[in-house]
Amino acid sequence: MEKLPVRHPVAEVQQLPVTLPQMLPKVQSADSKISRLNLDRQTTRQTAVKEAFERCWRSYQSLAWGADELAPLGSSPKNKLGWGATLIDNLDTLWIMGMHDEFKKAVAAVTHIKFEDTQSPEINTYEVNIQLLGGLLAAFDLSTDGKLLGKAVELGDMLYAAFDTPNRMPIIHWNAHKAVRREEQLAEESVLGAELGSFTLEFTRLSQITGDPKYFDAAQRVMELFDKKQDTTELPGLWPVSVNAREGAFDDNVFTLGAEASSLHKSLPGAYALLGGKLPMYRRMYENATLTAAGHNLFRPMNSEGKDVPISGAVRVVTADNGNQQIHLEPQMQYQSCFAGEIAHKLVDGCIWAHRVIPLGIMPESFDVVPCASLKSCPWSEWHWKQEVWKNANRLEPEPNPNLNVDTFIRDHRLPKGFTGIPDTAYNLRPEAIESILTLYRVSGREDLLDAAWDMFQAMQSATQTKNGNAAIGDVTDDGSEVTLKDSMDSMWMSQTLKYFYLMFSPPDLISLDEFVFNAGGHPLRRPNE
């Protein structure tokens, strides 16, 4: 892309911190090496995951090479930007799995991508950053191939142009064509806070590699605003789902760890580690957010097995007429909040439980449950569960149906005991559950997680495998003999989900969490030694 004029130059670029790095504690547990004791079994599992990846890669290579994605049912290419997203997204996976010939072919193709040529004028800078810039940086960190660094700088400069706004907040939905025509664009008045606050890892790493501090400076300005606002929101300690980037206002009243916020919370400990502990603000922000979430967003779902498996819901803060605040928990679990398993063992166990209670063995994108009154004690009550199912079924109706047969409703909607509704029955090949299982295994060495991960992989592979790759599921509550599939194989299936499964069954020194941090797109960025 031709060099664009700078409308709002930075008076002084903030340099990367140069104080001595902190002696950060080891992340990985020595106990995670327990997998070496049953190496044969783990090697067999690792091979099965690699074979699943190779099948998908061969299908992409033969049917959609150079396209953003493969439509597995239609056996055809799909494009949004036309930048070969699946190619870039999987460079590091190819390297990690030892597929070096395929890696070289992919690198050769990636070097010919022209980012100035896009099939869609509007670019989601957040998605491009975590998926594509992250992919290029991770592949460079692993291979040291200078061609990849050149493409990373090229893409980083394009994204950097989206920060050229009066308050230096990035434009998330940035129009490249307008930029070329020299039309000014402003940061949006309503964007997801996670979109705004998830540039830190990639921009910091790009500055570390190139020595050019401008990228770090751009992302750091955004995060300093998040730091400043953290204790002034409607729920101090957490940032709302939606923020006004143009005004720098954080006034929304909904707070979650789910789909709309997960990447922001993931990036905070990663940034602390990537910067060698030199910026304590990232640790402080993460700890404060975690404490607030633990006090308000976490709840225990009532279940017939009596399992103590807290999960994460959304919180809505409402100000009453008398000025008092009321905090309402919305007991809905989202698949993407499984990343919060990094908070505690029981949260990971909650995600594993949510997979196992669905006959297909796969958790839906979102589901509603009965929240327990206490985290400590929660006896099962069939009557209470059915009362809550009746309420949930009538919640959106203008007039409640007094004749609703709850047992019929439960049967027709295939609700497991404790579930009151499943607003989104799909499974879109997401990685968050296995990501959290892998993280907890590497941190704790809990051997039972190996079998839990294997059960999950087998369930996913069995339900989603098609002739050409794997397809998202439309309804995970379907009878296992006939599963409704969608003609979609998002590149995250290979670049994240299968990568995490592969690492789960690999020796723990492969992409050690003491040497790398994962960005929100599942790409490992190397932590500097100095």
Side-chain angles (χ1 to χ4, degrees):
M1 176 174 282
E2 61 183 290
K3 194 168 179 65
L4 300 174
V6 179
R7 296 175 183 273
H8 306 284
V10 174
E12 185 177 352
V13 174
Q14 188 170 173
Q15 303 292 314
L16 283 161
V18 292
T19 56
L20 289 174
Q22 305 296 309
M23 288 298 293
L24 300 182
K26 290 286 186 184
V27 176
Q28 295 203 164
S29 166
D31 293 337
S32 63
K33 291 182 176 153
I34 195 75
S35 63
R36 294 180 186 278
L37 299 179
N38 42 40
L39 194 57
D40 287 345
R41 187 168 56 145
Q42 301 316 324
T43 300
T44 301
R45 292 173 174 182
Q46 183 201 57
T47 300
V49 176
K50 183 175 179 179
E51 287 173 353
F53 178 89
E54 287 174 329
R55 280 188 71 257
C56 293
W57 188 255
R58 284 196 300 269
S59 294
Y60 172 75
Q61 199 168 21
S62 62
L63 299 169
W65 185 251
D68 287 338
E69 286 178 22
L70 165 67
L73 304 183
S75 304
S76 58
K78 285 173 67 176
N79 277 302
K80 186 177 179 183
L81 293 173
W83 288 350
T86 292
L87 271 176
I88 298 174
D89 214 7
N90 283 284
L91 290 169
D92 56 339
T93 312
L94 291 168
W95 184 274
I96 288 167
M97 291 191 180
M99 299 170 65
H100 295 298
D101 288 342
E102 291 85 351
F103 176 83
K104 289 175 185 174
K105 292 175 188 172
V107 170
V110 165
T111 56
H112 291 102
I113 293 172
K114 291 182 169 57
F115 293 122
E116 63 268 24
D117 296 338
T118 171
Q119 296 183 13
S120 172
E122 185 176 279
I123 295 169
N124 185 306
T125 55
Y126 156 76
E127 291 178 356
V128 169
N129 176 63
I130 65 168
Q131 186 181 6
L132 304 188
L133 181 56
L136 290 167
L137 290 169
F140 171 76
D141 270 342
L142 291 168
S143 69
T144 66
D145 188 322
K147 294 188 292 293
L148 294 173
L149 178 57
K151 297 305 286 186
V153 171
E154 192 180 318
L155 186 56
D157 285 341
M158 174 180 275
L159 293 172
Y160 183 78
F163 285 74
D164 187 19
T165 63
N167 63 355
R168 300 298 301 181
M169 293 298 112
I171 302 162
I172 302 303
H173 302 95
W174 185 68
N175 191 304
H177 293 182
K178 285 185 178 179
V180 170
R181 294 196 300 265
R182 308 290 199 269
E183 294 179 29
E184 182 167 17
Q185 299 175 70
L186 300 174
E188 293 110 308
E189 293 180 298
S190 180
V191 292
L192 296 180
E195 292 178 324
L196 197 65
S198 296
F199 289 84
T200 309
L201 295 179
E202 301 77 10
F203 274 40
T204 295
R205 188 66 190 128
L206 188 55
S207 282
Q208 288 175 336
I209 295 170
T210 63
D212 187 341
K214 73 177 185 182
Y215 310 106
F216 166 75
D217 170 80
Q220 183 64 15
R221 288 171 187 273
V222 177
M223 296 317 296
E224 285 174 357
L225 177 64
F226 274 77
D227 186 26
K228 178 182 175 183
K229 295 289 186 179
Q230 184 170 18
D231 293 329
T232 67
T233 66
E234 295 285 317
L235 188 64
L238 284 180
W239 302 275
V241 166
S242 178
V243 301
N244 184 333
R246 188 175 303 176
E247 303 297 331
F250 289 61
D251 300 331
D252 191 46
N253 67 337
V254 178
F255 301 82
T256 182
L257 299 182
E260 303 92 345
S262 59
S263 61
L264 169 62
H265 293 278
K266 285 181 196 177
S267 70
L268 298 174
Y272 182 71
L274 194 63
L275 287 160
K278 297 174 188 176
L279 284 182
M281 62 177 273
Y282 286 106
R283 176 173 180 168
R284 182 182 68 249
M285 291 164 75
Y286 181 71
E287 289 177 343
N288 290 345
T290 301
L291 284 171
T292 303
H296 295 284
N297 293 75
L298 302 189
F299 68 96
R300 181 173 171 177
M302 187 176 75
N303 61 88
S304 59
E305 304 159 80
K307 285 186 175 290
D308 181 9
V309 284
I311 58 180
S312 173
V315 164
R316 187 179 299 274
V317 180
V318 178
T319 303
D321 292 338
N322 61 6
N324 292 336
Q325 282 191 332
Q326 297 174 333
I327 297 177
H328 299 283
L329 174 68
E330 298 176 1
Q332 182 180 100
M333 171 75 163
Q334 293 181 334
Y335 200 101
Q336 284 181 263
S337 66
C338 270
F339 91 92
E342 296 169 39
I343 296 174
H345 287 256
K346 288 181 180 179
L347 282 167
V348 169
D349 292 337
C351 289
I352 295 171
W353 166 80
H355 279 76
R356 286 178 172 165
V357 294
I358 300 290
L360 206 58
I362 303 174
M363 176 178 139
E365 290 290 313
S366 66
F367 62 91
D368 300 320
V369 291
V370 182
C372 300
S374 166
L375 283 170
K376 296 180 180 177
S377 174
C378 190
W380 170 253
S381 167
E382 192 98 1
W383 177 86
H384 182 44
W385 168 47
K386 291 181 178 179
Q387 285 284 309
E388 293 301 311
V389 170
W390 187 91
K391 286 182 190 175
N392 205 38
N394 281 293
R395 184 163 48 97
L396 300 178
E397 301 297 328
E399 292 291 334
N401 176 9
N403 300 317
L404 177 75
N405 186 310
V406 173
D407 291 318
T408 302
F409 185 89
I410 289 171
R411 185 184 68 244
D412 290 349
H413 290 80
R414 300 184 284 273
L415 297 179
K417 287 195 171 187
F419 281 46
T420 61
I422 307 179
D424 189 347
T425 60
Y427 168 62
N428 294 321
L429 305 177
R430 290 195 183 283
E432 283 80 9
I434 182 56
E435 177 187 6
S436 276
I437 292 173
L438 169 65
T439 302
L440 183 58
Y441 173 66
R442 290 286 187 90
V443 169
S444 70
R446 263 181 57 185
E447 195 172 0
D448 64 295
L449 295 173
L450 292 164
D451 289 337
W454 179 240
D455 290 344
M456 194 177 287
F457 170 74
Q458 288 182 299
M460 290 177 178
Q461 184 69 356
S462 173
T464 66
Q465 182 173 323
T466 70
K467 179 184 175 184
N468 295 306
N470 293 65
I473 301 174
D475 190 344
V476 297
T477 70
D478 281 342
D479 183 332
S481 63
E482 188 173 343
V483 179
T484 304
L485 297 177
K486 302 194 287 186
D487 197 10
S488 171
M489 184 175 73
D490 192 294
S491 66
M492 67 181 168
W493 167 249
M494 289 191 285
S495 68
Q496 296 186 61
T497 310
L498 290 181
K499 180 193 294 169
Y500 288 133
F501 276 119
Y502 184 83
L503 291 173
M504 185 76 198
F505 306 124
S506 300
D509 55 1
L510 180 62
I511 314 297
S512 166
L513 300 184
D514 291 312
E515 298 172 9
F516 293 87
V517 298
F518 281 93
N519 82 335
H523 297 299
L525 305 177
R526 192 178 295 277
R527 293 167 55 175
N529 292 324
E530 68 278 358

